[in-house]
Amino acid sequence: MNPLRIFATVFGMIGGLWLLTNGILSLTSLPEPDLAHEESDMLRPRVPQEAQSLVNPIASSTKIIEEGRAIYLGAGNCAICHGKEGRGDGEAGALMNPLPRNLTDSRFQGARKDGEIFWAIKEGVQGRGMFSYVPRMITEEQAWKVVWYIRSLGWDD
């Protein structure tokens, strides 16, 4: 193994331990999510109004939805926060406050237009831990395919 890589690994481990022992990365220091507030806040728009008028330029099909799923699970890295099934229960999402959106929630599905979902993927959502994915990780075309996949997740309650 490269000596520089060994040094970087050891230095990173020591730094991480220091951060944990000083409470900076302590999981107990994370604030509890305000779930009651989140539910009452479901209808509050988080993207500019012009995002509502954006129309998905890609026609839906089983193939497109499957491509969107592959992007969601792969290059888009969405599952790390939103979970493999879109329920907001991803590994990294558990550390966030507020928690990531449950994309299968019927209130979310009914309240958000495709353009709003696309905008959130493209531009990110301030105060939600959702950062911009386009063009950093995926293309606009891929983002629209992910929108179709999100729509296919159902309307669970």
Side-chain angles (χ1 to χ4, degrees):
M1 186 178 227
N2 180 335
L4 185 57
R5 180 172 273 168
I6 293 171
F7 174 77
T9 301
V10 171
F11 185 74
M13 290 171 60
I14 292 170
L17 286 172
W18 182 85
L19 290 172
L20 283 172
T21 58
N22 287 289
I24 296 169
L25 289 180
S26 171
L27 295 180
T28 58
S29 68
L30 292 175
E32 289 294 317
D34 184 357
L35 298 179
H37 173 73
E38 280 302 301
E39 289 185 20
S40 67
D41 201 33
M42 181 67 69
L43 299 178
R44 186 174 69 80
R46 292 186 172 84
V47 300
Q49 187 160 356
E50 64 264 17
Q52 293 182 9
S53 63
L54 296 174
V55 177
N56 197 330
I58 300 172
S60 179
S61 70
T62 303
K63 179 180 181 266
I64 292 296
I65 292 169
E66 196 52 42
E67 288 177 20
R69 179 181 183 275
I71 296 162
Y72 176 94
L73 294 172
N77 208 25
C78 310
I80 193 76
C81 292
H82 291 285
K84 290 182 181 176
E85 296 178 8
R87 297 185 187 281
D89 58 356
E91 293 175 26
L95 302 174
M96 298 172 72
N97 184 13
L99 295 171
R101 183 69 67 212
N102 175 354
L103 302 172
T104 69
D105 187 298
S106 62
R107 294 165 297 173
F108 167 78
Q109 290 278 354
R112 296 291 163 251
K113 296 185 186 246
D114 291 352
E116 292 175 278
I117 297 171
F118 171 78
W119 181 277
I121 295 168
K122 181 179 179 189
E123 303 293 337
V125 181
Q126 188 175 13
R128 297 286 310 177
M130 176 79 180
F131 65 88
S132 169
Y133 281 81
V134 177
R136 192 180 306 170
M137 297 179 73
I138 61 175
T139 66
E140 283 194 12
E141 180 179 336
Q142 289 173 315
W144 281 116
K145 289 177 181 180
V146 170
V147 171
W148 280 124
Y149 174 65
I150 290 170
R151 289 302 193 195
S152 78
L153 291 175
W155 296 75
D156 296 347
D157 284 325

